Amino acid sequence: MNIKIFCSFLALLLFISVVSARDIELTGRFIPPAGKTYIFGGQNNADSDSFVKINKRVPFGFMIYTPLSTLDGLEKDVDFGAGKTSGRHILKKYPGAALQIGLYLVGDLQAVIDGDFNENIIKFADWIKKAGIPIFLRIGYEFDYPANGYEPELYIKAYKIIVDKFDELEVKNVSYVWHSYASMNPRGIEAWYPGDEYVDWCAISYFESPQWIPMLKFSQKHNKPLMIAECAPMLGSYLKPERKFEWYEKLFRFIEKYDVKALCYINTDWNKLPMFANYNWGNSRLDASKEIKKFWLGQMSDERFVFRKQ
């Protein structure tokens, strides 16, 4: 067989193996029933409140962030440059809703390994237990994003220390999310993997042009549910304003085709946030466009999407 034909045939087989595989027996905590997708909104207080107003119901959960070094953003409002946010706001205003927490570890991996944050790990574990709701914890989110500087060996050690300590403290209402930023990385995502026993969910970021195949294949191979952990139509070199509606159509086809188990949508105007104002990513608020809002609500009417029980 001609080598070019053979290579093309092999690539086709690989692609088929990815797109045709379906979840059979997934492992991990807080997985929705077959054919269901949790809906999360965020990522600051105002955007979360707006998300509820637009959907006219409370989503399954909300997104927040906190650095392990300080645990800011859990009890009190804090503004990291992307609007005021806090876990307490969600707990008080939307009791029973879950939280998806991005745990920031940039520059702190060695400190975790050295035990410098042991006290904060214990405080964080106690906060989660007292919250009494499902917590989806993205430890060192976007582990393979070059700017984060997470060296695989250190990342894995720090990740395991946090999980082992939570287990020791008997934190039962947390699931651990292993989150890739879903772009090309020559090292491959496997280099950062802490092991099946430490991961409940696999996750990707889904912005202008995600490279989702590596994590999709990985999640299928390891029988882990797939989460879209950060999601918004950020305008840029790959996504122009005139293609924005098409982005939403592709997103929901992706969710349906690959049985994505959680969708976490960032409902914000990027250009008004100091941290992102210079990037010209545009406005991903669902009510910024009547056409997009109508389309979104039409999708949300599907029984697939899980909101908080009233």
Side-chain angles (χ1 to χ4, degrees), residues 7-293:
C7 289
S8 298
F9 178 69
L10 187 62
L12 178 61
L13 286 179
L14 178 61
F15 181 73
I16 290 173
S17 71
V18 171
V19 300
S20 62
R22 303 295 290 180
D23 296 326
I24 300 175
E25 293 184 16
L26 297 176
T27 62
R29 292 177 177 175
F30 309 140
I31 302 173
K36 298 293 186 178
T37 301
Y38 293 145
I39 291 294
F40 291 79
Q43 54 189 359
N44 61 44
N45 294 345
D47 292 336
S48 295
D49 293 343
S50 172
F51 191 78
V52 173
K53 184 178 180 180
I54 291 167
N55 285 278
K56 297 183 179 179
R57 50 181 170 164
V58 178
F60 181 81
F62 296 89
M63 308 159 63
I64 65 168
Y65 294 80
T66 189
L68 184 60
S69 59
T70 64
L71 298 181
D72 288 340
L74 294 181
E75 279 299 311
K76 298 180 180 179
D77 283 355
V78 65
D79 191 339
F80 299 112
K84 289 183 179 181
T85 179
S86 77
R88 178 56 51 190
H89 173 85
I90 302 302
L91 294 177
K92 291 182 67 175
K93 193 164 186 177
Y94 306 109
L99 278 176
Q100 188 258 71
I101 303 177
L103 185 61
Y104 185 79
L105 297 175
V106 172
D108 291 333
L109 296 182
Q110 190 62 56
V112 174
I113 295 167
D114 292 342
D116 296 346
F117 295 143
N118 284 351
E119 184 177 341
N120 276 11
I121 293 174
I122 294 171
K123 288 181 179 179
F124 192 25
D126 185 58
W127 190 90
I128 289 174
K129 287 196 289 186
K130 288 180 178 178
I133 55 173
I135 302 288
F136 297 76
L137 183 60
R138 293 185 287 141
I139 299 176
Y141 55 93
E142 294 188 322
F143 59 80
D144 52 344
Y145 181 45
N148 284 340
Y150 291 140
E151 283 300 316
E153 183 178 353
L154 297 181
Y155 173 81
I156 290 172
K157 286 182 179 180
Y159 186 113
K160 287 184 174 181
I161 285 170
I162 294 168
V163 174
D164 286 341
K165 191 63 177 177
F166 274 34
D167 285 347
E168 178 186 326
L169 296 169
E170 298 185 340
V171 184
K172 304 295 186 182
N173 60 315
V174 63
S175 62
Y176 303 107
V177 182
W178 187 60
H179 173 205
S180 166
Y181 91 125
S183 191
M184 300 306 295
N185 189 315
R187 304 179 77 165
I189 59 176
E190 292 85 354
W192 284 268
Y193 194 53
D196 286 351
E197 67 274 27
Y198 286 91
V199 172
D200 293 297
W201 289 70
C202 290
I204 60 170
S205 293
Y206 194 107
F207 294 117
E208 57 173 334
S209 182
Q211 303 293 331
W212 47 262
I213 289 182
M215 185 57 88
L216 176 64
K217 288 172 56 183
F218 190 94
S219 67
Q220 292 174 341
K221 179 181 178 181
H222 292 261
N223 296 322
K224 301 294 182 181
L226 183 65
M227 170 187 288
I228 296 177
E230 294 187 7
C231 176
M234 296 192 316
L235 303 181
S237 57
Y238 293 100
L239 181 61
K240 303 301 180 182
E242 61 270 19
R243 305 291 294 275
K244 193 173 178 180
F245 186 82
E246 182 181 330
W247 179 93
Y248 286 94
E249 293 179 316
K250 288 182 177 179
L251 169 66
F252 284 100
R253 286 199 299 268
F254 177 83
I255 292 169
E256 175 68 26
K257 187 170 186 177
Y258 301 112
D259 199 19
V260 175
K261 296 300 185 182
L263 169 63
C264 308
Y265 186 79
I266 301 175
N267 179 63
T268 199
D269 186 345
W270 298 97
N271 296 337
K272 291 184 178 180
L273 304 177
M275 182 184 293
F276 307 108
N278 295 327
Y279 292 95
N280 295 315
W281 285 340
N283 188 348
S284 65
R285 289 271 297 246
L286 293 168
D287 55 358
S289 162
K290 291 183 179 180
E291 180 186 31
I292 289 173
K293 179 181 177 181

